[in-house]
Amino acid sequence: MKLQKLSKVVAVAAITMTSLSASYTMAADGKVYRLKMAETWNANFPIFGDAPREMARLAEEMSDGRLKITIDSANKHKAPFGVFDMVRSGQYDLGHSASYYWKGKVPNTLYFTTMPFGMTTPEQYGWFYYGGGQALSDKVYSKFGLRSFPGGNTGNQMGGWFQKEINSVEDLKGLKMRIPGFAGEVMAKLGAKPTNIPSGELFTALERRTIDALEWVGPSLDLRMGFHKIAPYYYTGWHEPATELQFLVNERTWKKLPDDLRTILRTSMKLSSYDMYIQSYHESAENWAKMKQEFPNIEVKSFPSSVMKAMYDANESLLAEKAAEDPLAKEILDSQAQYMQKVRVWTNISDRAYLDSLDNLAD
Amino acid sequence: MKLQKLSKVVAVAAITMTSLSASYTMAADGKVYRLKMAETWNANFPIFGDAPREMARLAEEMSDGRLKITIDSANKHKAPFGVFDMVRSGQYDLGHSASYYWKGKVPNTLYFTTMPFGMTTPEQYGWFYYGGGQALSDKVYSKFGLRSFPGGNTGNQMGGWFQKEINSVEDLKGLKMRIPGFAGEVMAKLGAKPTNIPSGELFTALERRTIDALEWVGPSLDLRMGFHKIAPYYYTGWHEPATELQFLVNERTWKKLPDDLRTILRTSMKLSSYDMYIQSYHESAENWAKMKQEFPNIEVKSFPSSVMKAMYDANESLLAEKAAEDPLAKEILDSQAQYMQKVRVWTNISDRAYLDSLDNLAD
């Protein structure tokens, strides 16, 4: 945050405090607060990049220009996975990224993006806002002088594009697949070879069979990558049922903001993250229709239950390891597991039962 | 809206317009705008009443006290279903209600709450914000000098509490059921007797078999009504898959607000409506667990497919009648049907396929 003449602001605030009601003090300074945000994405990255821009626009309009946020994309700051450090140090006031990108640095941040076999989007928002998630997130991030808030949800991510069918656990052995994060560890446990390849090279790698499979996001962002033109099988998801991006705020910036601007910032972040969920849902529907029209032979497949069972068990054993290593990890994982057990019953008797009961009606 | 010294405000605005940048003109007036809202609900009505209060709190905090909204509940203004008229006349600036309550007056408002066999919540938000829904809503409401915005979603509503099982269409004949709105018309077409009973008398009516069944909302609001203590069957939903409440704004109030306060009002409405969806989801999960613990013999049932098919066909024929009567109704219904056809494919290969693939994993 740039704060020219900070001492003068404080002085003005102190004076007005005595003459006006408390709620007017800081806003009455009329100061413009200029915040800088670093995003993990390159310029013009759709959907992921729309959320922070929508957030900045709302904040500026609602504050009548007193809160101005400029966004640096990865092609400018050159550190897509350095967002955590740059916001922590104060080089940037704000960040927009996904917490599983810095799991190597702070393992407990992993759990706030999404988990294999985890909650769906409304379930996860329920946990975060009403089931104790925000308090656990604060527990993890406060140690680093940071605040973290939801930054937009992709909804359920597809399991990925495959060159060949997966009929058994045996078919995973030696499978070269681009699948990062915790899900990659699950696949490795079953004999697959998770590889990391820069996004610009993924199409060629899949086309030339350098890799056998890859997961990206879902139709919302997969369409422009063109994978549907070169791989015949599109598997349904298991590994990222509700991927939530994150806004990061440097704690010093947060504390310096007057109350009204802090609420404006928080509201703008929260609204733009919900909006990204709905935008993703919409774009996935539109883009899947386009893919399917252009390439009607694409087959949507789900992994057979033997494969799902093996991945589920591998995931459970990895989670047990994480919980055993760190009491806070255990606290977060227990909280999620308990919440999911309760909320999934509701999902099953509401939306799922509804969708099931519609089968074969329009005949 | 109370606007004391309106002429003075306009004069000040005109003067500052020349000396300051446009975005600062109106906010610089420092005026407090006091808006009055009428809600359909009685005081302390949970969840439905939380949404407008959360909205008002956000608006006041973000505007640093310049936008103050007071809320009158139905027990004060005595006209729960008169909200449309009271906001239209300017007696209130704002309303919080559900548009299907005034379908008798303006039939085309019906379609913005929820429709039997219609979209799920994320699907419906996709339609509203990205698929043309808002523009159609504006087309309907602008004729009455009103703006309407989403006001909170209950999520999927349960099909209701039944004293006896429904095994065939025959079982619906003569069935006395509290089920209002379009769904009541569907039931009537199949020989049921939809009845309207004040909410305070519902428990006794169901207990004494004055009625055979009723639908209310879902566990989020059904728990406090106590129906689970007196009816053994809880049917899954078909008639209100995504009930959205509405905020109403008088067009004159809307236009009088300075730009920053208008964005603050709109953002506060939009965020509190998303939040109500997540709160409803959470409360349904919690309350269903409580009901089931207290009364483990409650049976969750879905209507057999023959009954679903009959209700679906009755619904389709009613929709065709509505579309034939009014070109704007046809435009809205076509827009929803086309959107749903596309988005449902995505729902089925994403969240639904994910949930299906989890069956029997945790054994």
Side-chain angles (χ1 to χ4, degrees), chain A residues 23 27 61 64 117-118 237 263 270 274-275 281-282 308-309 339 344 347 352 354 356-359 361, chain B residues 23 27 61 64 117-118 237 263 270 274-275 281-282 308-309 339 344 347 352 354 356-359 361:
Chain A
S23 68
E61 282 186 29
D64 200 28
F117 300 100
T263 304
K270 196 172 181 186
Y274 280 137
D275 270 343
Y281 212 97
H282 170 76
M308 286 294 286
K309 177 77 178 141
Y339 193 86
R344 181 61 49 80
T347 298
R352 191 181 174 197
Y354 172 61
D356 284 350
S357 71
L358 297 180
D359 281 344
L361 281 187
Chain B
S23 69
E61 282 187 29
D64 200 28
F117 301 100
T263 304
K270 196 171 181 187
Y274 280 138
D275 270 342
Y281 212 98
H282 170 76
M308 286 294 287
K309 176 79 179 142
Y339 193 85
R344 181 61 48 79
T347 298
R352 189 180 176 198
Y354 171 62
D356 284 349
S357 71
L358 297 181
D359 280 346
L361 281 187

Side-chain angles (χ1 to χ4, degrees), chain A residues 12-167:
Chain A
V12 170
I15 292 164
T16 51
M17 192 84 82
T18 59
S19 56
L20 284 175
S21 79
S23 68
Y24 282 86
T25 49
M26 289 302 280
D29 67 9
K31 273 216 87 66
V32 175
Y33 289 77
R34 294 177 196 279
L35 307 188
K36 282 173 63 188
M37 182 190 290
E39 64 177 351
T40 288
W41 338 111
N42 278 328
N44 304 315
F45 196 90
I47 306 177
F48 288 20
D50 294 338
R53 278 158 192 81
E54 171 71 359
M55 191 282 268
R57 183 185 68 74
L58 284 172
E60 183 161 344
E61 282 186 29
M62 293 198 290
S63 67
D64 200 28
R66 291 187 303 120
L67 186 55
K68 284 189 192 290
I69 297 165
T70 53
I71 302 170
D72 284 353
S73 302
N75 34 329
K76 177 149 189 206
H77 60 64
K78 309 288 184 203
F81 303 116
V83 169
F84 181 93
D85 284 328
M86 293 190 296
V87 180
R88 186 185 176 187
S89 73
Q91 185 181 347
Y92 283 90
D93 302 289
L94 305 166
H96 190 251
S97 187
S99 65
Y100 59 10
Y101 290 141
W102 48 78
K103 76 182 172 82
K105 188 179 299 280
V106 188
N108 286 335
T109 59
L110 171 69
Y111 311 113
F112 299 98
T113 307
T114 184
M115 291 303 288
F117 300 100
M119 290 178 269
T120 66
T121 307
E123 292 173 352
Q124 188 168 278
Y125 276 130
W127 172 72
F128 197 81
Y129 290 124
Y130 299 93
Q134 178 77 66
L136 288 166
S137 170
D138 291 348
K139 216 166 176 171
V140 169
Y141 281 94
S142 62
K143 291 175 192 160
F144 304 94
L146 291 168
R147 297 226 167 198
S148 171
F149 303 99
N153 203 294
T154 65
N156 188 288
Q157 295 205 2
M158 291 294 283
W161 296 95
F162 285 69
Q163 294 291 16
K164 53 181 189 180
E165 262 186 272
I166 302 298
N167 294 312

